[in-house]
Amino acid sequence: MTRLPDRADRRTVLRTTAGLASLPTLAGCLGGGSDDGDESDREDGSDGDDDDGSGGGGGDSEGPDGGDDVEYEVERVAEEFEHPWGLAFLPDDGRLLVTERPGRLSLVDPADGAVEEVAGAPEVHAEGQGGLLDVAVHPEFPDDARVYLTYAATNDAGESATHVGSGRLSLGDGGGAHALDGFEALRAAGPFVDSDQHFGSRATFGPDGALFVTVGDRRDTDFDADHVSQDRSNELGSTLRLTPDGDPHPDNPFVDDADGADALYSYGHRNPQAMAVRPETGAIWQCEHGEEDGDEINVIERGGNYGWPIASEACQYGTDDPVAPAHDERDDVVAPVHYWPCGSGGFPPSGAVFYDGDAFPEWRGDLFAGTLAAEYLGRFTVDGAGIDDATVTERDPLLADRGWRVRALAVELATGHLYVAVDAADAPVVRIVPA
């Protein structure tokens, strides 16, 4: 039975789910599931960071959910990717960009699964959790053909940082090669540090055309008020808000603060590896890794301090000792709208999308987020508009019978099919379609 901490409140009412039974290999419907295991790599298997457990959730009582009985099938779109990390569809084209952590960028045709290399990707630091990470397409593509990549790269001293850069996508459909022309680094989230962990790093465009990029805390383990995530003068443990040219957005909260980094939009984050725009409100939502459990879903506010590590729902590894007071015990931090407290097994996240397609009308408005060590695709219903009134409820998982670490998600615009990148050394990209 799942253990509840003494500080449980309305956001931490856990449920225990039963196992999936007798699902066909390539078809299924939503059902309860858990995925207990001994693996200790909740994130990327490079540091024993965030030990594994069963998928758990927090929120109000579940209530009725019309999406529970949706039947679906899983189709393999393309194969043999090496740790795919990011997915992005090309508007007005239908093909899919896929990043692989060792440094490859590919263009996939969902119609026949053809995979073609895109030249011009940057040299990356593919160590630990680093490498070629997320991909985002300029919202005015193809009129503005820029494609944005986030990645880990090093300086001359061998120290690494999360980078964001862009190049113009040239499609060689007339017989030439696909390429990112003139790719250049737009920003390195400083400072560079000697660590191969906690790079973040998701990128997405907001409704106003600003580029949001998440940056991890680079595994700083000094859990006090001097932690890098609480230091607004640097860009670690933060959400950056940039113009499409990579400059700090002029409306950022600390542009007039001599002690604040101009690019910062929010801070106090540990390692946010999922980000999506909620269509109903235009708000930026993120999922981030906790320490031992303590994983969070956050709605991002301009200038918000999300607490890490002076407020957390996590415990120190191998103990029941809280890392810090809970968010609700402080009035100077923004609390998550949903979290997994210590003892729940957690939800180590990677990749998220709000579903707004036509293939599954029962899922419209739901948040989908992948989980790594817990190995399933989470679905969450969301009621309420903002941080104070948003109620997030985890529903029965998808893909819980596959043993897949779910890394990235995207919705195909034309069909509404939900695409999933699996994290493995020899991995597929699959899509979820109506049965």
Side-chain angles (χ1 to χ4, degrees):
M1 186 170 181
T2 303
R3 178 180 61 81
L4 290 177
D6 293 337
R7 61 177 185 265
D9 63 11
R10 75 174 187 88
R11 292 186 177 120
T12 61
V13 179
L14 300 180
R15 60 180 176 84
T16 302
T17 53
L20 288 172
S22 302
L23 285 181
T25 301
L26 288 177
C29 64
L30 292 179
S34 66
D35 191 43
D36 297 310
D38 297 326
E39 191 179 13
S40 63
D41 56 334
R42 292 180 80 234
E43 297 188 22
D44 295 303
S46 60
D47 63 348
D49 192 7
D50 306 341
D51 67 337
D52 191 12
S54 60
D60 285 339
S61 59
E62 292 185 41
D65 174 30
D68 267 345
D69 298 324
V70 172
E71 295 186 351
Y72 64 89
E73 295 179 349
V74 180
E75 299 178 347
R76 288 180 176 247
V77 178
E79 308 272 357
E80 299 181 354
F81 294 100
E82 185 175 359
H83 294 290
W85 217 95
L87 301 175
F89 278 99
L90 297 180
D92 298 329
D93 181 283
R95 284 175 290 185
L96 178 69
L97 289 169
V98 181
T99 63
E100 295 171 78
R101 196 150 54 87
R104 288 181 291 274
L105 176 65
S106 299
L107 188 64
V108 176
D109 187 341
D112 59 10
V115 180
E116 299 176 285
E117 183 180 354
V118 179
E123 183 177 348
V124 303
H125 178 64
E127 299 290 339
Q129 296 171 1
L132 183 58
L133 303 175
D134 208 10
V135 56
V137 178
H138 194 284
E140 296 181 6
F141 187 94
D143 294 334
D144 189 326
R146 282 180 288 181
V147 168
Y148 296 78
L149 301 175
T150 68
Y151 56 100
T154 56
N155 60 14
D156 292 340
E159 300 165 320
S160 60
T162 301
H163 288 61
V164 58
S166 73
R168 296 187 180 276
L169 182 61
S170 174
L171 297 173
D173 296 330
H178 305 312
L180 275 185
D181 293 334
F183 186 89
E184 62 176 343
L186 301 176
R187 190 167 200 87
F192 284 75
V193 297
D194 184 14
S195 169
D196 293 333
Q197 302 170 30
H198 292 197
F199 291 95
S201 140
R202 290 295 171 186
T204 192
F205 281 91
D208 61 352
L211 177 63
F212 292 83
V213 177
T214 69
V215 181
D217 71 353
R218 308 305 316 283
R219 195 66 177 114
D220 181 358
T221 55
D222 292 330
F223 296 157
D224 55 31
D226 294 327
H227 189 275
V228 294
S229 296
Q230 291 297 313
D231 180 359
R232 297 202 307 254
S233 69
N234 75 79
E235 298 174 346
L236 306 184
S238 72
T239 307
L240 307 182
R241 185 186 184 213
L242 308 172
T243 70
D245 295 329
D247 298 320
H249 195 284
D251 189 41
N252 280 349
F254 306 117
V255 291
D256 296 323
D257 183 349
D259 296 325
D262 290 351
L264 250 62
Y265 188 74
S266 66
Y267 64 104
H269 299 286
R270 184 174 180 270
N271 195 21
Q273 287 193 356
M275 182 163 56
V277 177
R278 188 181 180 194
E280 292 89 342
T281 64
I284 303 294
W285 285 53
Q286 290 178 5
C287 308
E288 73 175 78
H289 292 261
E291 186 79 356
E292 179 164 327
D293 305 333
D295 308 302
E296 301 173 3
I297 299 178
N298 289 304
V299 182
I300 303 304
E301 288 187 333
R302 179 182 182 274
N305 177 3
Y306 286 78
W308 179 253
I310 61 172
S312 176
E313 316 306 322
C315 284
Q316 299 178 31
Y317 281 114
T319 76
D320 293 328
D321 299 329
V323 171
H327 286 81
D328 288 346
E329 296 178 33
R330 300 186 64 116
D331 59 7
D332 57 348
V333 299
V334 182
V337 294
H338 189 89
Y339 62 82
W340 288 260
C342 182
S344 67
F347 184 91
S350 184
V353 68
F354 278 95
Y355 185 79
D356 59 354
D358 294 329
F360 299 101
E362 298 91 342
W363 292 347
R364 285 197 194 111
D366 291 354
L367 175 68
F368 285 83
T371 180
L372 296 169
E375 296 180 346
Y376 67 90
L377 174 59
R379 183 175 72 89
F380 304 82
T381 53
V382 181
D383 295 312
I387 291 177
D388 294 333
D389 64 349
T391 299
V392 177
T393 304
E394 183 172 13
R395 301 299 180 171
D396 291 335
L398 286 76
L399 308 180
D401 60 332
R402 308 302 173 107
W404 285 345
R405 289 164 55 91
V406 177
R407 175 59 77 183
L409 306 173
V411 176
E412 187 175 19
L413 302 178
T415 64
H417 296 159
L418 182 59
Y419 281 63
V420 177
V422 177
D423 178 39
D426 183 1
V429 171
V430 304
R431 62 184 165 223
I432 296 173
V433 303

